[in-house]
Amino acid sequence: MEAFVSGYLCSAKRVGESSFCGDRARTYRAPVSRSKRHGVKMVTEVAVGINYVLEKKGLIDKALEESIDARSPFTRKIWDGIAYSLLGDGKRIRPALCLAACELFGGSAEDAIPTACALEMIHTMSLIHDDLPCMDNDDLRRGKPTNHKVFGEDMALLAGDALLAYAFEMISKTPKSISADRVVEVLRTISHCSGAEGLVGGQVMDLEQEGNPDCTVETLRWIHVHKTAVLLKASVTSGAVIGGANKDDVARLGEFAEKIGLAFQIRDDVLDETQTSEVLGKTAGKDAAVYKATYPRLLGLAESRNQATQLVGEAKQILEKYGERSATLNSLADLIISREK
Ligand code: GRG
């Protein structure tokens, strides 16, 4: 099965998607199956997800490249810093989720691409700030020295600030065919998820719980939902809103996305313990070194994997109502817990 997935990536490379799959042939592995039939179904779904991300990555990367916008020699320096991280080797999971959710409701990728880029910008700024010495203090990200190692802490801080502001400017470029009410809803969702009740709040608790031997699973779950799942949730619900979903649909997709977002962070915790820095493109083993609250620390590796798998199973059940239309989102959910980096 592993060969199938790797082979799939290699054949995608042959049709010209080199940046995603080149040295990323090990990015995803086939999930361990309970039965041969179940295993084959899972591998097929993961392959659908890989195919989707590969297909959309070109579109997303092109739009991100075009968004780099130095308007004078005086702003060249900050745009260089932004481009260094934004155009780096990210998996583009959040924009892919946004586009897939939009398409589920009949919307087009073109309508959602400004928002998909905005989500990647906010994600990238959170990585730049997270790597700063005053936060998680890391030297390696997306296989390269972190932004502050290359441009200095002052410039890294400002690159993150500029990206956050630019994300909202991007959303304002949503095609006029999408109603202003829907664009405002997207702005509300994404601004809320970026603030004290979302990413910032999650990061605060994450830093506060570092080194605390008494951190409970309940607190850890809250941290993971806020520092990570909120942005995946915003990606899916924003895409749904742009695609024309009604309130009930948006709520349903939000529930789905919170579960896969939590599974995403649990998988991240597992990989930090089990994978090498070379494959991850970021420093492995860091969580244990600083005694960070993680699922493997609190529950062990096997139970962490079980919980991630269970969350994805529950998430997929929520989308059953949509039948085949939810196939892409379901396959992205499988991809999230199968990834190797
Ligand atoms: C948004 C205003 C604002 C501040 C940010 C620093 C901070 C506050 C939050 C940190 C959030 C954080 C870094 C959470 C970890 C999420 C995570 C698992 C990231 C890795 O995502 P991948 O694997 O990375 O998708 P790539 O590089 O593939 O894009």
Side-chain angles (χ1 to χ4, degrees):
M1 275 183 276
E2 220 171 312
F4 176 77
V5 175
S6 297
Y8 185 86
L9 284 166
C10 291
S11 62
K13 186 180 179 186
R14 279 198 294 275
V15 294
E17 302 282 358
S18 58
S19 67
F20 183 75
C21 62
D23 53 1
R24 287 183 161 236
R26 284 169 298 162
T27 298
Y28 302 102
R29 74 173 171 81
V32 177
S33 59
R34 281 187 298 278
S35 72
K36 202 174 167 193
R37 209 165 132 238
H38 176 76
V40 169
K41 186 169 183 290
M42 280 290 283
V43 170
T44 308
E45 289 192 4
V46 171
V48 171
I50 293 169
N51 198 21
Y52 187 81
V53 178
L54 288 172
E55 184 195 316
K56 299 298 181 198
K57 193 177 185 300
L59 188 69
I60 296 158
D61 285 349
K62 183 167 173 282
L64 289 174
E65 273 164 36
E66 286 170 1
S67 76
I68 300 298
D69 191 22
R71 291 183 195 175
S72 81
F74 297 110
T75 59
R76 187 69 262 168
K77 187 174 182 180
I78 191 67
W79 284 107
D80 283 349
I82 289 170
Y84 177 80
S85 293
L86 186 65
L87 309 182
D89 193 21
K91 291 185 290 295
R92 313 301 192 214
I93 288 287
R94 294 152 192 83
L97 285 168
C98 175
L99 299 182
C102 177
E103 288 171 356
L104 192 160
F105 294 99
S108 75
E110 209 171 72
D111 290 339
I113 202 77
T115 297
C117 288
L119 290 155
E120 187 64 20
M121 287 173 183
I122 293 172
H123 167 56
T124 302
M125 77 73 61
S126 80
L127 300 179
I128 296 173
H129 282 193
D130 189 53
D131 291 333
L132 286 167
C134 62
M135 301 256 178
D136 272 6
N137 190 17
D138 221 318
D139 293 351
L140 185 67
R141 174 70 69 178
R142 293 178 166 174
K144 300 191 297 190
T146 44
N147 195 290
H148 66 271
K149 282 281 158 190
V150 178
F151 297 93
E153 283 178 44
D154 48 0
M155 289 303 130
L157 190 70
L158 290 166
D161 292 344
L163 265 175
L164 182 60
Y166 197 40
F168 294 100
E169 191 178 330
M170 281 302 290
I171 298 171
S172 76
K173 295 176 182 169
T174 299
K176 295 276 180 284
S177 54
I178 306 301
S179 76
D181 282 356
R182 287 192 181 268
V183 177
V184 169
E185 179 60 15
V186 167
L187 287 167
R188 193 197 63 75
T189 301
I190 297 181
S191 52
H192 184 80
C193 101
S194 307
E197 295 300 322
L199 278 163
V200 171
Q203 177 77 347
V204 169
M205 278 297 281
D206 180 79
L207 292 170
E208 284 203 336
Q209 291 301 315
E210 208 170 277
N212 176 11
D214 301 320
C215 180
T216 63
V217 176
E218 195 190 5
T219 301
L220 178 59
R221 188 184 184 284
W222 191 95
I223 293 171
H224 281 15
V225 164
H226 287 79
K227 83 167 181 184
T228 302
V230 280
L231 195 53
L232 279 84
K233 185 173 177 179
S235 304
V236 170
T237 55
S238 301
V241 168
I242 295 165
N246 66 33
K247 278 199 162 50
D248 289 344
D249 289 323
V250 173
R252 204 171 287 117
L253 264 76
E255 276 179 54
F256 160 85
E258 187 165 304
K259 286 183 187 290
I260 65 163
L262 179 55
F264 184 93
Q265 183 59 57
I266 297 174
R267 182 72 190 157
D268 214 71
D269 290 355
V270 168
L271 290 174
D272 184 79
E273 280 205 9
T274 58
Q275 196 51 282
T276 62
S277 302
E278 193 198 351
V279 171
L280 290 180
K282 59 184 181 181
T283 314
K286 189 114 185 307
D287 293 344
V290 297
Y291 205 65
K292 198 182 261 290
T294 66
Y295 269 69
R297 199 192 95 197
L298 269 58
L299 299 176
L301 280 170
E303 181 54 19
S304 302
R305 288 191 180 104
N306 282 343
Q307 294 219 359
T309 304
Q310 194 179 325
L311 281 161
V312 164
E314 290 168 9
K316 286 159 80 175
Q317 267 176 19
I318 295 171
L319 299 192
E320 264 173 8
K321 175 181 189 289
Y322 304 105
E324 267 309 297
R325 286 162 62 208
S326 61
T328 307
L329 280 179
N330 284 338
S331 64
L332 291 174
D334 285 327
L335 200 56
I336 276 171
I337 49 163
S338 308
R339 66 195 179 96
E340 282 295 328
K341 70 176 282 185

